[in-house]
């Protein structure tokens, strides 16, 4: 499974003569259907035969009608459904050798030697055991006369690939398991709803979330909503926590807060191993503080509902990777799982991941809690450290006498406020004075600058838009006034949060260093825009929220089209010249096409799309969804394409159009954007603090090196700082996009899943990696 040079292999013939079965097992998770759909469609695309195994391992054991051939159309309209359409069951029979023999017999009879398992660690361990004893099972079946020698020979080896479907995110080696992001969506929806009622009555709310052995959901929810306290199994509170908790809640109230939120993982326990239940905490708070306290146990709500855009894309990309891993496997290849690390597809040895997952449980049982957090991975550890720093005010005794200003630039987007809150609080923890600049560079030029403190950013993580106010004005023409105000307010460092204007504004500020000494201060740009078009970062704050808005709208549109039949919807998305939103929403909503600026198209392509839709109307799937990025082509406008489709589709389908507009910039931020914004805000100020130390000379700050003005971005698997000046070469300034964009590589997946006959580039493989070397996306 290393990078073979298979450029010559025709991907549409890779699976000829092969059979793949797909099953979902264990607890259900949102996004499993996306994984099943992608596995089926890519399997069929490669020429393989694909089978559904209904009801998990039970269906594998019982055989018969439970193992059925899958068709292209049979996975239609699955993408937006929660749970698993092919069913899942806990299976005792498969645990016994006799049950596994029956399962092996059923597979051999159908000539299936490739198994794709979507489930948690128990399901995947079971799959590996099945594979390990495969030859022994076949020998027993031959002896018992249940299979012929010829059949045994044809099925001499079983390939297994796993995808982790678990809302708990409790499987080590993977950044995000299928279902985790959707579960966080459910939790945050509830937290937001509870917050409004808690504030009305000045209540304390205790929220119990899932996670018997893993505190990921509790921890990220606490980070995303700014909870006062979180209880997780990996890190029980110190002895005497009851006093500490009550003191903290009372302090919050004394500071003017009208509510307290406490989040508890269901597996939370004390240092001596006793469970800490939500009822126990409620009694404590009520008895000691007399606060009006309520508990809410979320339970199976977290497993339900429609999958988030991230889980659909994760499931779809994993399905593609799983089929490739199966078809490339040799008898010597260990069973692997496919996963995403940052935005990279990776393959990991299944049993290594299982072992590390078991090591976490052992560390917790032995009281080695620091080890448990480390073993969970860099992302988990980083979440924990960020949460500890930001949850409670703990400013140092000595002030730094440094003034750090924070500014929002460009169009507003969800998650900006989370970044501002984290930057303000991290600055206060570092001993700095934090300044808020209102209305972008305009405000900086006109002196709209005021101190901002710990309490003034309370509750900001869940607010959409920009509380500071933001404008698109660039600093170039206002530089005289801006530098005067930098001197007047004694600003030593600048955090610029925004989109392409923030990036260009940062470059103009760097340029101004040649003329104005006041501009010689450390600066950091945090990408925040729905368009995801800032050079230096694979993701920007706000894009995930916009993507979910587009995806949920497309779901409703598809439902309408499915009801009326023979209807094609054309939807225009935002993004400027950047096709990220159109492409990703196309993948998440199951679109037939997505027109973008980066991939040039002509009248022949438009004709080809119409023909494709005409063919589609002959099947049972009588509807179409086409996305168009707002600036994809100056002449082939949304109206032009709508008119073309309406004319060419006459008598076969009718066409409707929707322009989504500014709804894509609004709404409350998704858990990802809250968490991402929080980490970016905190990390930017920590970096500025270090830079300020480097740039302090003769009693003043002087920063004029390229690496003292950076973009903080996520690159592949880590957050990195890149000098603004170095990024100029990778920028198309005319069209306001980076010259290289990682997501263009996954566009073929969208086309293959929409049944276009195109070639998938199989030359770039995901290497088999080892868990120990793993890094994680929001780490470092």
């Amino acid at each position: 499974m290393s990078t073979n040079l298979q450029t010559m292999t025709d991907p549409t013939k890779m699976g000829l003569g092969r059979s793949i079965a797909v099953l979902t097992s264990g607890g259900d998770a949102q996004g499993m259907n996306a994984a099943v759909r992608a596995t089926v469609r890519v399997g069929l695309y490669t020429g393989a035969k694909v089978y559904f195994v209904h009801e998990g391992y039970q269906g594998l054991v019982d055989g018969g009608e439970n193992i059925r051939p899958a068709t292209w159309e049979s996975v239609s309209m699955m993408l937006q459904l929660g749970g698993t359409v092919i069913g899942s069951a806990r299976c005792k029979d498969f645990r016994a050798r006799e049950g596994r023999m029956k399962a092996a017999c059923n597979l051999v009879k159908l000539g299936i030697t490739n198994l794709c398992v979507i489930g948690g660690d128990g399901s995947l361990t079971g799959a590996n055991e099945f594979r390990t004893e495969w030859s022994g099972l076949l020998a027993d079946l031959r002896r018992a006369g249940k299979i012929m020698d010829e059949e045994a020979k044809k099925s001499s080896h079983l390939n297994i690939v796993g995808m982790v479907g678990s809302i708990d995110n409790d499987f080590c080696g993977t950044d995000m398991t299928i279902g985790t992001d959707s579960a966080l969506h459910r939790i945050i929806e509830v937290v937001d709803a509870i917050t409004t009622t808690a504030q009305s009555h000045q209540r304390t709310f205790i929220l119990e979330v899932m996670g018997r052995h893993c505190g990921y959901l509790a921890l990220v929810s606490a980070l995303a909503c700014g909870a006062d306290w979180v209880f997780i199994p990996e890190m029980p509170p110190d002895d005497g926590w009851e006093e500490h908790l009550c003191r903290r809640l009372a302090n919050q109230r004394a500071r003017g807060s009208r509510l307290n939120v406490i989040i508890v993982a269901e597996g939370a326990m004390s240092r001596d191993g006793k469970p800490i239940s939500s009822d126990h905490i409620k009694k404590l708070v009520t008895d000691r503080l007399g606060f009006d306290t309520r508990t809410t146990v979320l339970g199976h709500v977290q497993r339900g509902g429609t999958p988030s855009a991230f889980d659909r894309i994760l499931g779809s990309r994993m399905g593609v990777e799983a089929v490739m891993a199966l078809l490339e496997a040799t008898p010597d290849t260990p069973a692997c799982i496919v996963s995403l690390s940052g935005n990279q597809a990776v393959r990991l040895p299944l049993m290594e991941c299982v072992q590390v997952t078991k090591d976490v449980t052992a560390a917790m049982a032995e009281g080695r809690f620091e080890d448990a957090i480390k073993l969970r991975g860099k992302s988990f550890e980083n979440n924990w450290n960020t949460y500890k720093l930001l949850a409670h005010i703990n400013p140092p005794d000595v002030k730094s006498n440094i003034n750090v200003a924070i500014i929002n630039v460009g169009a507003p987007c969800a998650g900006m406020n989370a970044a501002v809150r984290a930057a303000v609080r991290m600055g206060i923890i570092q001993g700095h004075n934090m300044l808020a600049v209102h209305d972008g560079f305009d405000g900086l030029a006109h002196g709209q600058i005021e101190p901002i403190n710990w309490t003034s950013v309370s509750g900001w993580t869940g607010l959409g838009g920009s509380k500071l106010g933001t404008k698109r004005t660039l600093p170039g023409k206002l530089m005289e006034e801006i530098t005067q105000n930098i001197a007047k307010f004694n600003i030593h460092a600048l955090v610029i949060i925004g989109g392409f204007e923030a990036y260009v504004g940062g470059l103009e500020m760097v340029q101004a260093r040649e003329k104005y000494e006041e501009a010689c201060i450390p600066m950091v740009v945090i990408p925040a825009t729905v368009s995801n078009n800032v050079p230096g970062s694979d993701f920007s704050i706000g894009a995930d929220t916009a993507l979910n808005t587009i995806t949920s709208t497309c779901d409703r549109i598809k439902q309408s089209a499915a009801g009326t039949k023979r209807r094609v919807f054309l939807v225009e998305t935002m993004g400027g010249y950047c096709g990220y939103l159109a492409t990703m929403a196309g993948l998440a909503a199951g679109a037939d096409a997505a027109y973008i600026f980066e991939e040039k198209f002509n009248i022949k392509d438009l004709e080809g799309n119409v023909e494709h839709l005409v063919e589609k109307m002959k099947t049972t799937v009588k509807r179409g969804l086409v996305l168009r990025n707002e600036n994809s082509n100056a002449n082939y406008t949304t109206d032009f394409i709508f008119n073309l489709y309406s004319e060419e589709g006459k008598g076969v389908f009718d066409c409707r159009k929707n322009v989504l507009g500014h709804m894509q910039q609004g709404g409350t931020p998704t858990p990802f954007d809250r968490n991402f914004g929080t980490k970016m805000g905190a990390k930017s100020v920590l970096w500025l603090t270090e830079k300020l130390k480097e740039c302090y000379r003769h009693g003043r700050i002087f920063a004029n090196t390229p690496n003292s003005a950076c973009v903080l971005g996520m690159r592949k698997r880590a957050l990195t700082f890149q000098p603004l000046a170095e990024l100029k070469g990778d920028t198309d300034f005319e069209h306001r996009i980076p010259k290289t964009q990682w997501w263009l590589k996954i566009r073929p997946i969208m086309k293959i899943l929409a049944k276009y006959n195109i070639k998938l580039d199989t030359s770039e493989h995901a290497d088999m990696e080892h868990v120990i070397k793993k890094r994680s996306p929001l780490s470092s």
Side-chain angles (χ1 to χ4, degrees):
M1 211 163 299
S2 61
T3 313
N4 303 324
L5 289 172
Q6 293 193 338
T7 11
M8 304 313 289
T9 310
D10 179 353
T12 58
K13 296 191 171 63
M14 275 174 81
L16 288 174
R18 315 274 291 274
S19 293
I20 299 170
V22 57
L23 67 89
T24 53
S25 171
D28 64 313
Q30 311 95 318
M32 279 183 165
N33 291 325
V36 170
R37 171 181 176 267
T39 307
V40 168
R41 289 192 170 175
V42 176
L44 294 172
Y45 163 83
T46 64
K49 251 183 153 177
V50 187
Y51 291 85
F52 288 133
V53 179
H54 290 267
E55 314 309 333
Y57 284 121
Q58 194 63 56
L60 208 57
V61 173
D62 296 345
E65 275 296 288
N66 288 303
I67 307 176
R68 280 179 247 162
T71 64
W72 194 276
E73 291 157 47
S74 62
V75 291
S76 185
M77 285 305 263
M78 273 172 78
L79 200 52
Q80 62 270 40
L81 301 176
T84 163
V85 170
I86 58 174
S88 176
R90 310 271 178 196
C91 176
K92 280 185 183 162
D93 295 348
F94 193 74
R95 288 181 185 158
R97 187 176 169 87
E98 196 183 334
R100 292 196 292 275
M101 265 180 74
K102 283 184 187 169
C105 185
N106 291 329
L107 290 179
V108 170
K109 290 289 177 196
L110 290 167
I112 299 168
T113 54
N114 298 286
L115 191 58
C116 178
V117 179
I118 308 165
D121 59 345
S123 309
L124 298 174
T125 309
N128 189 63
E129 193 179 337
F130 188 41
R131 176 182 175 275
T132 311
E133 59 181 28
W134 181 256
S135 51
L137 293 171
L138 293 199
D140 288 358
L141 287 167
R142 273 209 317 269
R143 272 196 293 276
K146 295 205 174 150
I147 60 169
M148 313 297 287
D149 285 357
E150 190 56 35
E151 288 175 315
K153 200 173 170 186
K154 273 186 184 165
S155 302
S156 61
H157 176 71
L158 178 70
N159 293 320
I160 297 262
V161 169
M163 287 183 255
V164 192
S166 156
I167 66 164
D168 295 341
N169 202 24
D170 56 357
F171 197 78
C172 291
T174 62
D175 284 335
M176 284 290 261
T177 55
I178 294 168
T180 306
D181 188 60
S182 302
L184 286 169
H185 273 253
R186 297 299 91 78
I187 295 167
I188 293 302
E189 281 160 18
V190 172
V191 172
D192 286 350
I194 278 176
T195 302
T196 52
T197 173
Q199 279 179 325
S200 306
H201 298 276
Q202 296 199 44
R203 283 190 174 135
T204 295
F205 263 92
I206 301 160
L207 202 70
E208 187 179 301
V209 301
M210 281 186 169
R212 201 166 301 138
H213 305 294
C214 177
Y216 185 87
L217 289 179
L219 178 55
V220 175
S221 305
L223 202 55
C225 74
D228 295 297
W229 195 289
V230 64
F231 291 92
I232 59 170
E234 288 86 350
M235 186 54 82
D238 295 328
D239 295 335
W241 61 268
E242 294 90 345
E243 292 291 332
H244 191 177
L245 171 66
C246 291
R247 191 167 66 248
R248 183 171 300 154
L249 297 183
N251 284 348
Q252 286 294 92
R253 289 291 173 96
R255 242 184 245 116
S257 174
R258 291 182 61 85
L259 82 156
N260 303 108
V261 177
I262 298 166
I263 293 185
V264 193
E266 61 180 331
M269 56 182 182
S270 61
R271 293 257 155 188
D272 53 6
K274 291 190 182 125
I276 297 176
S277 68
S278 38
D279 288 336
H280 172 56
I281 302 164
K282 180 184 175 179
K283 188 174 181 333
L284 172 77
V285 175
T286 313
D287 292 354
R288 294 211 190 169
L289 296 172
F291 288 175
D292 186 0
T293 308
R294 297 283 192 276
T295 57
T296 301
V297 179
L298 280 189
H300 280 73
V301 164
Q302 295 158 86
R303 285 195 191 281
T306 183
S308 67
F310 178 87
D311 274 330
R312 298 180 196 198
I313 293 164
L314 176 66
S316 300
R317 291 185 66 189
M318 293 306 87
V320 176
E321 192 59 40
V323 172
M324 292 302 155
L326 282 170
L327 298 181
E328 287 161 15
T330 66
D332 304 323
T333 310
C336 77
I337 57 158
V338 291
S339 173
L340 274 193
S341 178
N343 57 36
Q344 305 291 107
V346 292
R347 299 178 190 177
L348 302 162
L350 170 60
M351 292 322 288
E352 273 187 32
C353 298
V354 169
Q355 188 52 53
V356 180
T357 307
K358 284 179 177 165
D359 292 347
V360 177
T361 316
M364 280 153 60
E366 292 162 21
R368 294 182 288 113
F369 300 114
E370 294 289 345
D371 289 351
I373 284 202
K374 279 198 164 56
L375 285 165
R376 277 270 179 246
K378 200 79 173 138
S379 171
F380 192 96
E381 187 182 358
N382 199 45
N383 278 325
W384 175 246
N385 292 334
T386 309
Y387 171 76
K388 279 195 304 189
L389 276 172
L390 296 180
H392 330 290
I393 184 162
N394 199 4
D397 302 329
V398 185
K399 283 272 198 236
S400 67
N401 291 325
I402 291 288
N403 300 320
V404 179
I406 301 176
I407 185 171
N408 287 172
V409 180
C413 70
M416 274 184 163
N417 296 321
V420 172
R421 170 188 173 269
V424 166
R425 292 198 166 178
M426 191 55 87
I428 291 167
I429 290 162
Q430 301 289 311
H432 308 325
N433 302 310
M434 303 305 288
L435 300 171
V437 180
H438 297 282
D439 299 338
F441 285 115
D442 263 4
L444 191 55
H446 300 128
Q448 291 168 260
I449 302 163
E450 60 179 11
I452 186 165
N453 61 28
W454 189 276
T455 331
S456 45
V457 291
S458 287
W460 278 27
T461 40
L463 300 176
S466 162
K467 290 282 282 178
L468 294 184
T470 179
K471 282 193 176 166
R472 291 179 180 271
T473 316
L474 291 171
K477 291 180 179 143
L478 302 165
M479 203 55 78
E480 195 71 45
E481 295 92 329
I482 285 173
T483 50
Q484 281 171 10
N485 277 328
I486 289 175
K488 181 180 169 187
F489 289 89
N490 206 13
I491 294 168
H492 301 110
L494 191 58
V495 179
I496 307 168
I497 301 168
F500 200 82
E501 286 89 358
Y503 166 73
V504 175
L507 279 170
E508 289 184 3
M509 292 294 292
V510 171
Q511 189 71 43
R513 285 174 169 180
E514 293 171 14
K515 190 176 171 188
Y516 301 97
E517 204 176 304
E518 294 85 350
C520 296
I521 56 171
M523 289 175 260
V524 64
V525 173
I526 298 177
T529 165
V530 300
S531 305
N532 195 26
N533 62 339
V534 179
S537 192
D538 294 342
F539 295 105
S540 58
I541 298 165
D544 186 66
T545 305
L547 192 53
N548 277 283
T549 303
I550 300 166
T551 304
S552 61
T553 308
C554 287
D555 285 350
R556 292 174 187 187
I557 286 170
K558 272 176 80 174
Q559 208 170 29
S560 153
T564 45
K565 300 214 169 37
R566 297 188 176 281
R567 182 162 282 176
V568 173
F569 273 91
L570 178 63
V571 177
E572 180 182 299
T573 67
M574 275 185 162
Y577 286 95
C578 177
Y580 176 82
L581 286 180
T583 298
M584 288 310 204
L587 193 53
D592 294 287
Y595 299 118
I596 63 167
F597 169 77
E598 292 91 343
E599 198 173 275
K600 302 289 179 248
F601 57 97
N602 56 29
I603 197 74
K604 278 206 179 78
D605 299 313
L606 293 172
E607 273 176 40
N609 293 142
V610 172
E611 283 161 20
H612 183 264
L613 288 164
V614 167
E615 285 306 306
K616 194 177 178 186
M617 296 301 156
K618 294 175 186 170
T619 70
T620 54
V621 189
K622 298 185 192 307
R623 58 164 201 284
L625 175 68
V626 175
L627 295 162
R628 178 188 174 274
N629 161 260
E630 57 185 351
N631 289 347
S632 55
N633 189 299
N635 297 311
Y636 299 141
T637 60
T638 302
D639 285 338
F640 177 93
I641 296 174
F642 167 70
N643 291 334
L644 178 80
Y645 275 36
S646 299
E647 181 61 33
E648 296 295 318
K650 257 187 193 160
V652 183
F653 60 80
D654 62 355
C655 193
R656 297 285 186 276
K657 66 173 178 187
N658 269 52
V659 177
L660 299 184
H662 280 74
M663 66 184 280
Q664 296 163 83
Q665 285 180 357
T668 54
T670 55
F672 177 87
D673 277 334
R674 296 180 196 204
N675 193 7
F676 192 39
T678 300
K679 287 188 171 179
M680 298 277 267
K683 197 170 173 71
S684 67
V685 173
L686 287 173
W687 179 83
L688 282 175
T689 305
E690 287 309 304
K691 276 282 163 257
L692 285 160
K693 286 177 192 161
E694 285 173 28
C695 303
Y696 188 75
R697 290 199 181 56
H698 313 300
R700 67 194 185 99
I701 306 291
F702 186 76
N704 68 345
T705 56
N707 70 359
S708 63
C710 287
V711 171
L712 168 57
M714 190 176 135
R715 282 295 205 194
K716 291 189 176 171
R717 303 191 188 180
L719 291 178
T720 52
F721 290 90
Q722 295 146 97
L724 278 156
E726 283 178 18
L727 292 168
K728 273 169 90 169
D730 186 38
T731 309
D732 173 352
F733 285 97
E734 185 191 345
H735 300 107
R736 300 158 51 88
I737 51 173
K739 288 180 185 171
T740 48
Q741 300 185 92
W742 67 273
W743 51 266
L744 285 168
K745 279 188 183 164
I746 62 174
R747 271 183 70 80
I749 295 173
M750 183 188 73
K751 294 177 186 175
I752 287 166
L753 294 177
K755 212 173 183 176
Y756 278 90
N757 189 15
I758 64 152
K759 291 284 182 276
L760 183 67
D761 179 10
T762 56
S763 61
E764 195 172 297
H765 290 252
D767 285 346
M768 180 77 91
E769 297 195 6
H770 292 285
V771 189
I772 322 309
K773 294 178 188 163
K774 285 272 295 101
R775 304 249 327 153
S776 66
L778 302 179
S779 68
S780 65

